[in-house]
Amino acid sequence: MDPPLGSQTGVPRNDVRSSEDLPHYKGGLSSQADTKTTPQIPFTEASALARDEDIAFASGDLQGFSKPIDSYEGRHRWDPEFEWDQKEEKRLVRKVSNDNDNAILQTSWTNALRIDIKICAWVCLSFFALQLDRGNISQALTDNMLDDLNINTNDYNTGQTIFYLTFLFAELPSQLISKKLGPDRWIPIQMVSWSIIASCQAVLKNRSSFFATRALLGLVEGGFIPDNILYLSYWYKSKELPVRLSWFWVSYQSTYIISAFLAYGILHLRGYHGMAGWRWLFALEGTLTGLIGIASYFYLPPSPTQTKSWFRGKNGWFNEREEKIMVNRILRDDPSKGDMHNRQAVTPGLFWQAISDYHMWPIYLLGLSWLLPSQPMTQYLTLQIKSLGFSTFETNLLSIPAYVVFIILLLIITPLSEAINQRFLVALISQIWVLPLLIALEVLPGSASAWTRYALVTLLYAEPYAHAIIVAITSRNAGTVRTRTVASAMYNMTVQASNVIGSNIYRNNDKPLYRKGNAALIGMTLYNMCLFVGAKLYYVYVNRKREQVWNAMTTEEKEDYLATTKDRGNKRLDFRFAH
């Protein structure tokens, strides 16, 4: 249960500075605290510099500082009067081995290199391991895997559907387990478990064994992505998270590039010890993932204040002052992160409150469909290229440009959405991109050159990927730890549901041009355009209504509301949704 709001203590007016006086500070701080009196924080220049530009609460200097619960893992480093300047924070989160202030970039979304190297880079490596075992089936298909197992395209579709369904249904339970055990424990357990199953694909015999391994992989891999998003939220502020998530999905696409080169070599092992090349692919890459999982168990720390261990060093990664900066910067950005500790389970009551939060439903609705226009091409890229007459090894190499363009566009649109403060409209670019490509595929004659069709297939696969933007919106708009835990899983579940749909759009009786499938995707693209605009307008409408009510209140009424309201998280009158 969320702790009740604390009472506000008065502050002499000459100690308080308005948001207009501080150009680096917009918005305020949450005032969820316990029933004890919460100290008001003077808005000094130094403390303001240490605060984020885009805090979700609009209550400004009326807000006190939220007190985390006693069991919060960073409670001993919380200090409402602690101050630091922006350069010191950036030096902490950026530096690797030097303290050259002149080397510090002043752009907020590029300033976390130190944490990026220690935390985000390892999380990206973990995602690389996930995608290596989840995606290497694309390379296996080019080595006649379907023929070796005596299965066809429809059987493959069924296997992928089984995988996505089990992946989908494992999402929420996995996230709840992660919240109880801690992501630093649960993530490595998942990795080692799926590596064993992935390696066992080397001994597949028939359709039944193919279906069984698909189901098992989905069960143990499900929830891995929201587990990592929850873990990253312990380290990053809300404005820093989107770009970190974009690198998260860069590692996902980089896996395809690296695995294409790996496959080029490993598939040449066909016939060695009597095994097909795709069997060697599953065996060797599954083993690599297992080794990364074992290392992750010892490497990942539970939180910024719990980095000491025999593996990470007896003194940990940060000194006391650095830990205080890290804890207080996170709590001043989002005070709700102090409402639960990192191994605290979500109770049934809190779970119901989170799952019934209707303000998150537009995001779930988007998750069901926005990826569908490119989904079949994502799953069939190598088969599509090979059907154009290229060899197995040419196919794997020709798939690389699609991955490279994907990465470039991802790294452009994610920071762009933050820079111009337009998330849904930037995400809409993905649908504008794919529409003409789908129309071209629909009307292109069968006699068109292989290279023309290859260009269309490559560009369709490489659509501007807005997933990091929407995931960050989900985390930011949640407003509480409980909702963030559940909403991250719920959004990813809707995305996996779209994968189930997407894996059944291109049917065996519609190949090789897939006219019916492409026509359905064109209609879905038009629907998605309406959905992105509708989600934007919905959150603008809610924010505007709240702003009107909030601005009509007197200072005393606002103080009384903050001190007595039972509203929590994104239900608070002073909460503003990102859009």
Side-chain angles (χ1 to χ4, degrees):
M1 182 175 180
D2 288 325
L5 289 165
S7 58
Q8 305 292 317
T9 59
V11 178
R13 294 305 302 171
N14 59 359
D15 287 339
V16 179
R17 302 191 63 185
S18 70
S19 58
E20 288 80 7
D21 292 331
L22 298 174
H24 296 287
Y25 174 68
K26 299 175 184 177
L29 301 169
S30 171
S31 63
Q32 291 180 356
D34 63 12
T35 54
K36 297 178 181 179
T37 299
T38 307
Q40 185 83 11
I41 303 305
F43 283 80
T44 64
E45 188 72 33
S47 62
L49 285 173
R51 295 176 184 174
D52 193 88
E53 296 175 290
D54 290 323
I55 295 173
F57 294 90
S59 41
D61 61 352
L62 293 176
Q63 295 261 11
F65 191 77
S66 176
K67 181 178 181 181
I69 61 174
D70 289 339
S71 58
Y72 172 62
E73 62 275 6
R75 178 65 177 80
H76 61 298
R77 299 297 187 222
W78 173 74
D79 184 351
E81 298 182 356
F82 181 68
E83 295 181 356
W84 67 95
D85 61 40
Q86 194 175 46
K87 283 189 176 181
E88 186 177 10
E89 178 179 346
K90 289 183 176 182
R91 186 161 55 245
L92 166 64
V93 295
R94 269 196 54 92
K95 76 176 181 180
V96 178
S97 59
N98 68 79
D99 292 324
N100 184 3
D101 286 350
N102 294 327
I104 298 174
L105 297 177
Q106 297 304 309
T107 308
S108 64
W109 50 266
T110 60
N111 67 14
L113 187 57
R114 188 176 183 188
I115 299 176
D116 287 348
I117 293 296
K118 291 185 176 295
I119 296 299
C120 190
W122 195 271
V123 169
C124 289
L125 177 64
S126 301
F127 200 13
F128 166 86
L130 170 73
Q131 195 55 36
L132 191 65
D133 285 340
R134 188 171 66 163
N136 57 9
I137 193 169
S138 296
Q139 284 86 31
L141 293 177
T142 66
D143 194 45
N144 299 317
M145 173 184 165
L146 298 185
D147 292 338
D148 289 349
L149 295 177
N150 195 30
I151 59 179
N152 58 29
T153 303
N154 286 348
D155 294 326
Y156 171 73
N157 285 344
T158 301
Q160 289 299 88
T161 300
I162 291 171
F163 170 81
Y164 288 124
L165 282 173
T166 54
F167 195 101
L168 185 158
F169 289 117
E171 290 273 5
L172 199 48
S174 175
Q175 183 76 327
L176 295 176
I177 293 172
S178 177
K179 188 66 187 70
K180 174 62 177 176
L181 298 182
D184 57 296
R185 293 173 175 172
W186 181 238
I187 290 171
I189 292 173
Q190 286 181 286
M191 294 177 67
V192 173
S193 299
W194 85 57
S195 71
I196 295 172
I197 299 168
S199 298
C200 288
Q201 292 179 111
V203 295
L204 291 177
K205 297 296 182 183
N206 49 37
R207 182 174 61 177
S208 298
S209 58
F210 173 67
F211 290 166
T213 54
R214 290 285 93 190
L216 291 173
L217 275 175
L219 283 174
V220 296
E221 290 180 355
F224 179 81
I225 295 173
D227 292 343
N228 278 275
I229 294 169
L230 176 66
Y231 183 66
L232 288 174
S233 72
Y234 295 160
W235 299 83
Y236 291 106
K237 297 191 292 187
S238 58
K239 193 169 178 62
E240 295 169 347
L241 190 58
V243 172
R244 271 77 220 173
L245 292 176
S246 71
W247 283 104
F248 192 55
W249 273 283
V250 163
S251 68
Y252 154 76
Q253 281 304 310
S254 299
T255 306
Y256 282 119
I257 299 175
I258 296 171
S259 63
F261 285 109
L262 289 175
Y264 183 82
I266 295 174
L267 293 179
H268 276 94
L269 292 174
R270 174 172 273 273
Y272 190 68
H273 283 297
M275 289 174 58
W278 60 266
R279 296 185 186 276
W280 281 109
L281 188 72
F282 286 138
L284 295 177
E285 292 185 351
T287 301
L288 175 60
T289 297
L291 295 175
I292 296 174
I294 293 171
S296 297
Y297 184 83
F298 297 104
Y299 180 83
L300 292 176
S303 75
T305 61
Q306 297 169 298
T307 60
K308 296 178 182 179
S309 75
W310 68 269
F311 190 84
R312 295 182 294 268
K314 64 179 182 179
N315 295 322
W317 292 345
F318 311 104
N319 59 38
E320 180 179 336
R321 179 170 178 81
E322 289 173 334
E323 288 184 356
K324 291 184 73 171
I325 293 174
M326 295 181 70
V327 167
N328 287 282
R329 82 187 195 99
I330 292 296
L331 292 180
R332 294 182 193 184
D333 173 68
D334 184 353
S336 73
K337 292 181 180 179
D339 290 348
M340 300 179 75
H341 64 77
N342 59 0
R343 303 204 195 285
Q344 182 177 347
V346 176
T347 63
L350 293 179
F351 173 76
W352 174 250
Q353 292 177 36
I355 205 169
S356 60
D357 186 347
Y358 57 88
H359 282 121
M360 304 302 294
W361 293 354
I363 298 174
Y364 305 154
L365 195 60
L366 275 169
L368 279 172
S369 63
W370 83 267
L371 279 168
L372 273 176
S374 63
Q375 198 66 255
M377 201 55 64
T378 301
Q379 300 181 25
Y380 285 96
L381 178 65
T382 54
L383 285 180
Q384 285 279 333
I385 295 175
K386 190 173 183 181
S387 71
L388 298 177
F390 298 105
S391 70
T392 296
F393 303 108
E394 289 172 337
T395 295
N396 281 301
L397 294 179
L398 284 172
S399 66
I400 293 176
Y403 309 141
V404 173
V405 177
F406 180 104
I407 290 172
I408 293 172
L409 292 176
L410 171 62
L411 292 178
I412 290 174
I413 69 165
T414 307
L416 175 64
S417 70
E418 291 293 323
I420 66 175
N421 199 28
Q422 292 292 340
R423 295 161 185 88
F424 286 121
L425 294 185
V426 170
L428 178 62
I429 295 174
S430 63
Q431 309 304 304
I432 297 173
W433 175 282
V434 301
L435 183 59
L437 298 173
L438 288 171
I439 293 174
L441 284 175
E442 179 67 8
V443 302
L444 199 68
S447 59
S449 73
W451 288 109
T452 299
R453 196 169 294 278
Y454 166 74
L456 291 173
V457 166
T458 298
L459 290 173
L460 183 59
Y461 179 93
E463 73 162 323
Y465 195 63
H467 200 37
I469 297 173
I470 302 175
V471 167
I473 291 175
T474 305
S475 179
R476 185 179 302 189
N477 285 356
T480 60
V481 175
R482 62 156 193 266
T483 302
R484 184 174 297 111
T485 299
V486 175
S488 295
M490 288 293 294
Y491 169 71
N492 214 48
M493 287 174 68
T494 61
V495 170
Q496 298 312 319
S498 77
N499 284 330
V500 174
I501 300 170
S503 65
N504 289 281
I505 291 177
Y506 282 180
R507 303 298 296 174
N508 207 44
N509 59 5
D510 194 27
K511 68 180 186 182
L513 300 180
Y514 299 105
R515 300 293 194 195
K516 294 179 182 178
N518 288 329
L521 294 176
I522 291 171
M524 184 57 64
T525 304
L526 295 173
Y527 164 77
N528 287 339
M529 289 180 174
C530 297
L531 207 54
F532 273 114
V533 174
K536 164 80 174 179
L537 293 177
Y538 172 74
Y539 287 121
V540 169
Y541 171 74
V542 174
N543 285 351
R544 197 165 288 170
K545 279 189 62 179
R546 291 182 177 182
E547 194 70 21
Q548 290 173 351
V549 176
W550 184 256
N551 290 340
M553 295 168 66
T554 65
T555 300
E556 291 74 17
E557 289 173 332
K558 292 176 181 178
E559 290 175 343
D560 181 67
Y561 172 83
L562 295 174
T564 61
T565 182
K566 297 185 185 299
D567 296 335
R568 295 292 178 264
N570 63 19
K571 296 297 180 288
R572 281 176 45 169
L573 186 58
D574 58 328
F575 185 91
R576 301 294 177 264
F577 290 97
H579 53 77

